[in-house]
Structures are given as C-alpha cells and as structure tokens.
C-alpha cells in the first residue's frame, strides 16, 4: 500500500486566502484524523472521522476551519480565511479500528 | 486531557537504556507510542490496550498500569537510530490526546 497520501506537501499563501489540504487514507482504514503541529503547541488533534462521519471536532480552532470526508478514500481540511497563526505542519493519519495510526508526510503551511 | 510525559529530554550514549513515562488524569482505554524524527511524520511504535494486550516493536517494550493511568516506554541498548521525539497518545472514550513529547538524543 502507498500509505497515507497528503497534498500539497508545501503551501505558501497570503493572509485571507482560502487553503485546502487533502488526504487519502490507507485503503480499508475506517478512522481518519487531522492533526496540527507547531513548536509552541505540539501535536494537536483537530478532528477525526469514523466511517466518514465526524466524531470529535472539539479541536478545530474556530469557524474558519472545516473538514469533510465525502467518501472512504478522501478527506479535506479547509481554512477560510487563513491567518499567519495558522502556519504549521498539518498531518493526516488513518487507522483500522482506532488502533495504530499511520501518519501521512504532512503539509507544511505558511501564511504570510 | 493531554497526558503528561516525563522526562522532557534525555541524552544517552549508544547502548544505554532509557525509560519514558506517560500519565493521564483520565481513565484510559489504550495508550499508543510514536517516534518522530526531525522533519518527518510520527511513526507508530507500540499500542497497549486495557486488559493487557500489547502490540509493538521488537526492541522496545512498554507497560500500562490501568489503575494508575500510566504507561512507560522502555528503550534498551539504545542505538543511534532511536534518536527522535517520542509521543504517547491516549484514548479515553471517544477522545484522543497526545503528550507533549520526550526528546531522545543518542550519541556515539
């Protein structure tokens, strides 16, 4: 299997622009997680899905952030409008039955 | 609640052992351990389930004390490749949390 695929790997955008991060989980996995990692705050869980249904979105910072999982093989994390404090590495991870999580390579987002 | 890891950082010589601790204020269903190297994604090492089942890595072991809501990761005969930041992840009902990490530096 190719593992968890994320795109883009790097994104540089200006404040106020919309940003969309994409994730393709490992085939057959039923859980999908979105994380944000910064030096200051460490690794934070933003939201996770089970069988395409959002289960816990309490980590989503504010209404500017939204996530969807329209099918078992694709998820998006959208930030609109983006702000400089959103700069971070965003990881997507998937797992089978919430056991070990397999992380994608991450998207490094820079908002100027 | 975010689990608390200790120590925050460890420096070892090759061949030495290390223990990393993870404790939670909430009852735990499972504890996961991950290692992250600089500039890379976290990689799964070990999972410990309530009831004692354990799945993981051949040279790294871990314990899970359900009553104390604590887990410890044991790195024996450390190798240079063990360097990185170790995170524990915990699950309580439908909530997942990660600790703040322990930086391990193994020197020749």
């Amino acid at each position: 299997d190719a593992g968890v695929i994320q795109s883009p790997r790097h994104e540089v955008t200006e404040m106020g622009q919309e940003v969309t991060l994409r994730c393709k989980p490992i085939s057959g996995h039923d859980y999908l997680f979105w994380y944000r990692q910064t030096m200051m705050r460490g690794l934070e869980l933003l939201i996770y899905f089970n069988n395409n249904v959002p289960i816990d979105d309490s980590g989503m910072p504010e209404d500017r952030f939204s996530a969807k999982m329209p099918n078992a093989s694709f998820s998006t994390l959208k930030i609109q409008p983006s702000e400089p404090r959103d700069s971070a590495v965003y990881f997507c991870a998937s797992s089978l039955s919430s056991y070990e999580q397999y992380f994608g390579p991450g998207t490094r987002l820079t908002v100027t | 609640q975010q689990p608390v890891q200790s120590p925050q950082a460890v420096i070892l010589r090759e061949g030495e052992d290390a223990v990393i601790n993870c404790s939670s204020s909430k009852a735990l269903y499972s504890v996961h351990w991950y290692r992250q190297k600089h500039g890379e994604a976290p990689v799964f090492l070990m999972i410990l389930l309530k009831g004692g089942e354990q799945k993981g890595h051949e040279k790294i072991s871990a314990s899970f004390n359900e009553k104390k809501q604590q887990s410890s990761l044991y790195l024996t005969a450390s190798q240079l490749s063990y360097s990185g930041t170790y995170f524990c992840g915990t699950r309580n009902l439908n909530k997942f949390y990660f600790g703040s990490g322990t930086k391990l530096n193994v020197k020749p």
Side-chain angles (χ1 to χ4, degrees):
Chain A
D1 203 317
V4 176
I5 299 172
Q6 289 186 248
S7 65
R9 294 292 309 275
H10 301 272
E11 176 82 29
V12 180
T13 190
E14 290 185 349
M15 184 174 64
Q17 297 297 307
E18 177 179 295
V19 174
T20 299
L21 310 182
R22 297 173 176 79
C23 176
K24 177 178 168 55
I26 293 172
S27 176
H29 281 189
D30 55 352
Y31 281 78
L32 184 138
F33 304 82
W34 281 102
Y35 292 93
R36 177 173 69 177
Q37 187 174 38
T38 61
M39 289 293 292
M40 290 296 293
R41 299 175 70 90
L43 195 60
E44 301 174 276
L45 175 63
L46 300 177
I47 185 172
Y48 79 91
F49 296 83
N50 177 216
N51 292 322
N52 314 337
V53 176
I55 302 300
D56 181 15
D57 65 354
S58 60
M60 296 285 263
E62 46 200 273
D63 293 345
R64 297 185 297 107
F65 285 69
S66 62
K68 292 182 180 179
M69 191 164 186
N71 56 61
S73 58
F74 184 66
S75 177
T76 58
L77 178 68
K78 189 175 291 187
I79 308 172
Q80 166 64 20
S82 58
E83 296 181 4
R85 60 191 166 126
D86 301 330
S87 297
V89 179
Y90 290 80
F91 288 107
C92 172
S94 70
S95 73
L96 184 62
S97 301
S98 78
Y99 290 147
E100 55 263 44
Q101 296 182 28
Y102 293 88
F103 283 74
T107 294
R108 182 172 294 276
L109 174 65
T110 303
V111 183
T112 61
Chain B
Q1 302 293 345
Q2 185 181 34
V4 177
Q5 284 187 237
S6 63
Q8 290 186 326
V10 184
I11 298 175
L12 294 176
R13 292 285 180 193
E14 246 184 315
E16 292 182 338
D17 301 340
V19 180
I20 300 172
N21 301 302
C22 173
S23 64
S24 173
S25 60
K26 297 280 190 181
L28 299 176
Y29 173 77
S30 65
V31 179
H32 307 199
W33 287 95
Y34 297 81
R35 177 171 61 210
Q36 184 177 30
K37 293 185 179 286
H38 183 69
E40 300 180 7
V43 174
F44 169 79
L45 293 176
M46 174 83 60
I47 181 171
L48 301 105
L49 303 173
K50 197 171 181 180
E53 186 181 355
Q54 176 177 311
K55 304 181 188 179
H57 199 277
E58 57 181 30
K59 287 196 174 183
I60 298 174
S61 62
S63 64
F64 181 20
N65 186 323
E66 297 168 29
K67 281 189 176 179
K68 291 186 176 181
Q69 295 155 195
Q70 292 176 343
S71 177
S72 294
L73 187 72
Y74 304 97
L75 304 161
T76 56
S78 58
Q79 306 169 13
L80 295 176
S81 62
Y82 284 12
S83 292
T85 301
Y86 289 77
F87 293 96
C88 68
T90 58
R91 180 180 180 182
N92 170 255
L93 299 177
N94 281 336
K95 294 286 189 182
F96 291 84
Y97 304 96
F98 271 85
S100 57
T102 296
K103 287 187 181 177
L104 180 71
N105 187 2
V106 181
K107 297 189 172 184

